[in-house]
Amino acid sequence: MSNRQSANLLYLSDHYHPQHQQEDEINLIDIFQILVRQKQIIFRVALACLLLSSAFSLLRQTRHDVSAVVQIGSLHNDAKGMPIPIEMTQDVLEKIKAAYIPFVLAQSIQKNTDNATGHEIVASVPKNANILLLKTSCKPTDEQVCKSLVDEVVEKIKADHSLITGLTTKNLQVKLASAENALKSSRDEVKYIASKRQRLFQTSELLSSQLKEKKAMLVSTLKNRGKIKSGNAVGAMLALQVDNEIKKNQELIDGLEQRLTIGINQDLDELDIAEKNNVRLQNEQENAIGQIKNQLLSVNKTKAIVPVLMSDKPVGISSLLIVLISTLLGVFLGVVAAFFYEFMAKVKEQNEGATV
C-alpha cells in the first residue's frame, strides 16, 4: 500500500467515523425529544385504550366450563379381571362427534331456544382412559341450557348402550334361573335318594322279619314231618303235602336271603353312586351359578361419573390481563401516533417553506 492511500484511510477514519457516531447520537436524542414533545398524544392514546379495555372487562360476561365425565360400561371381564368395555372408547367418541352432538344442537335450535345457538360441545378421551369428557362453555345466565345440552348427549350414549347391557343382563338372568332350577332338582333328587334308602332299610327289616318267621315255620314243619308215618295211604298223602310245604318254605327262604344279601345291597350301592354323582353335579351347578352371578356383576351400565357441573372459576383470559395488554398496546399505538404527528408536522413545514 502506498503512502498516499494510507493517508486517505487515516483521513476517512478521522473525519467520517466520528461524524456517523455523532449522527446516531443526534438521532437518538431527536427520538427522545419527539417522545417528550408528543407525550400528550402517547398519554391520551394509552389512556383511551386503558379506559376501553376496563369498560370491556366490566361489561363483558364471563364464561364458565360446563362438563360431564362419562364412564363406558362393560359386559364382562377379561382373564385378568379387567372390565371389557361395551364399545371401544374411540368408536364412541366418533359416534358422539358425528351424530349425537349435531343432533342435540339441531334439536335445541328447532325448539327455538334462543341460547342454543352459538354453543359448541367438545368431546375428548383422556389418554389410556376408559372415560369420555364432554365440555362446553357458556355464560352464567345460560347455565341450565348448557347443562341440558351436555346431559342430552350423555343420555344418548346411555340409551345406546342400555340396549346392549339390557339384552346381556336378560340372557344371563335366564341362564341363572335355569341353573338354579337344575340345582334345585339335584337337591330334590338328594331327598329322593335319602327317602329311597330309608325305604330300602325298612324293606330289609321287613324281609329279615319274614325270613325269621319262614325259618321258624320250616323248623316246625320239619319237626312235624318227622312225626308222620307214611306206611299207609293217608300217611303217605300227608307226608307228600308236608314235603311240598317244606319245599315252598325253603324256596321262600332262599328268595328272601337272596333279596337281603344281593338285591338290597345292590340297590344301596346304586343309591350311593347316584348320591356321589349328584354331589358332584351340584358342585358343578353351584360353580356355574357363581360364574353367572359374577358375569352379572361385571355388567356395568354406561353412566355419568358425576352430574353435569359448571366450573366455579371462569375460563378464558382474565380481566386484569386484558387491561394490561390493552395498556401496553395503547402505549405502542401512542408512540406510533406521536411519530406520525411529528412526521406530518415536518411535511407541512417543508411544504410551507417551499411555497415561500
Side-chain angles (χ1 to χ4, degrees):
M1 181 180 297
S2 63
N3 294 331
R4 186 177 181 179
Q5 290 176 343
S6 300
N8 290 333
L9 289 175
L10 291 173
Y11 177 80
L12 291 174
S13 176
D14 292 338
H15 290 82
Y16 286 95
H17 180 72
Q19 182 178 357
H20 289 304
Q21 184 176 0
Q22 186 178 5
E23 288 178 358
D24 291 340
E25 292 177 355
I26 293 173
N27 289 336
L28 292 175
I29 293 173
D30 288 343
I31 291 173
F32 179 75
Q33 289 176 349
I34 291 172
L35 295 177
V36 172
R37 283 198 304 270
Q38 306 300 335
K39 60 184 177 182
Q40 292 294 331
I41 295 177
I42 299 173
F43 176 75
R44 290 172 183 176
V45 173
L47 181 62
C49 290
L50 175 62
L51 294 176
L52 288 175
S53 61
S54 299
F56 173 77
S57 299
L58 291 174
L59 294 176
R60 76 175 185 131
Q61 289 188 337
T62 58
R63 299 185 71 86
H64 295 254
D65 278 340
V66 175
S67 60
V69 181
V70 181
Q71 184 176 28
I72 304 300
S74 60
L75 295 179
H76 54 86
N77 297 334
D78 58 14
K80 296 181 180 179
M82 299 300 294
I84 298 177
I86 299 172
E87 192 175 5
M88 296 304 295
T89 312
Q90 289 297 331
D91 295 338
V92 180
L93 180 62
E94 293 300 324
K95 192 184 297 183
I96 291 173
K97 290 181 178 179
Y100 295 158
I101 291 177
F103 179 78
V104 168
L105 294 178
Q107 269 194 332
S108 298
I109 295 173
Q110 289 178 359
K111 291 178 182 177
N112 295 323
T113 304
D114 295 335
N115 295 325
T117 58
H119 290 295
E120 180 182 0
I121 302 175
V122 179
S124 61
V125 177
K127 187 176 181 181
N128 298 326
N130 194 30
I131 59 174
L132 288 166
L133 298 179
L134 297 174
K135 184 184 294 185
T136 186
S137 61
C138 64
K139 302 172 184 177
T141 54
D142 299 338
E143 178 180 359
Q144 294 303 321
V145 174
C146 291
K147 285 184 176 181
S148 176
L149 292 174
V150 174
D151 192 59
E152 285 183 23
V153 176
V154 174
E155 291 300 321
K156 290 289 181 184
I157 305 170
K158 291 166 61 177
D160 185 21
H161 288 176
S162 65
L163 297 175
I164 303 173
T165 54
L167 182 60
T168 302
T169 301
K170 186 175 181 180
N171 291 335
L172 289 174
Q173 287 175 344
V174 170
K175 288 176 64 177
L176 179 62
S178 177
E180 288 177 342
N181 289 333
L183 179 61
K184 185 178 180 181
S185 298
S186 298
R187 289 172 177 172
D188 291 340
E189 186 177 354
V190 171
K191 297 178 182 179
Y192 170 74
I193 291 173
S195 62
K196 189 174 182 179
R197 181 183 284 109
Q198 184 65 28
R199 289 196 299 270
L200 285 176
F201 287 145
Q202 293 174 354
T203 302
S204 178
E205 292 177 358
L206 180 61
L207 291 176
S208 298
S209 177
Q210 290 178 356
L211 180 60
K212 185 177 181 180
E213 291 178 359
K214 293 299 180 183
K215 286 182 176 181
M217 289 176 60
L218 181 60
V219 171
S220 177
T221 304
L222 289 173
K223 287 181 179 179
N224 293 331
R225 176 67 178 79
K227 296 177 182 181
I228 296 174
K229 296 179 180 181
S230 56
N232 52 30
V234 176
M237 181 65 68
L238 184 59
L240 181 61
Q241 290 178 354
V242 172
D243 289 339
N244 288 333
E245 186 177 353
I246 291 171
K247 184 179 179 181
K248 289 180 180 180
N249 285 334
Q250 188 63 50
E251 290 176 354
L252 287 172
I253 289 171
D254 292 341
L256 290 173
E257 287 179 345
Q258 184 179 5
R259 181 79 178 96
L260 280 171
T261 56
I262 299 175
I264 295 296
N265 289 333
Q266 186 176 358
D267 291 342
L268 289 173
D269 291 341
E270 290 177 355
L271 288 178
D272 290 338
I273 294 173
E275 187 174 24
K276 291 178 181 178
N277 290 335
N278 185 276
V279 171
R280 183 165 54 252
L281 180 61
Q282 285 190 51
N283 290 332
E284 293 175 356
Q285 290 170 340
E286 287 174 352
N287 290 334
I289 290 173
Q291 290 178 357
I292 295 173
K293 287 183 177 180
N294 288 335
Q295 289 177 356
L296 279 171
L297 291 176
S298 64
V299 176
N300 296 313
K301 295 182 178 180
T302 297
K303 60 183 178 181
I305 299 177
V306 293
V308 182
L309 298 174
M310 173 176 277
S311 61
D312 295 331
K313 296 181 179 180
V315 296
I317 187 170
S318 65
S319 299
L320 180 61
L321 188 58
I322 291 175
V323 173
L324 180 60
I325 293 174
S326 299
T327 303
L328 293 176
L329 180 62
V331 172
F332 174 76
L333 293 176
V335 171
V336 173
F339 280 108
F340 181 76
Y341 180 82
E342 190 74 18
F343 172 75
M344 294 302 296
K346 287 184 177 181
V347 170
K348 182 179 179 180
E349 182 181 351
Q350 290 179 358
N351 291 333
E352 290 176 354
T355 302
V356 173

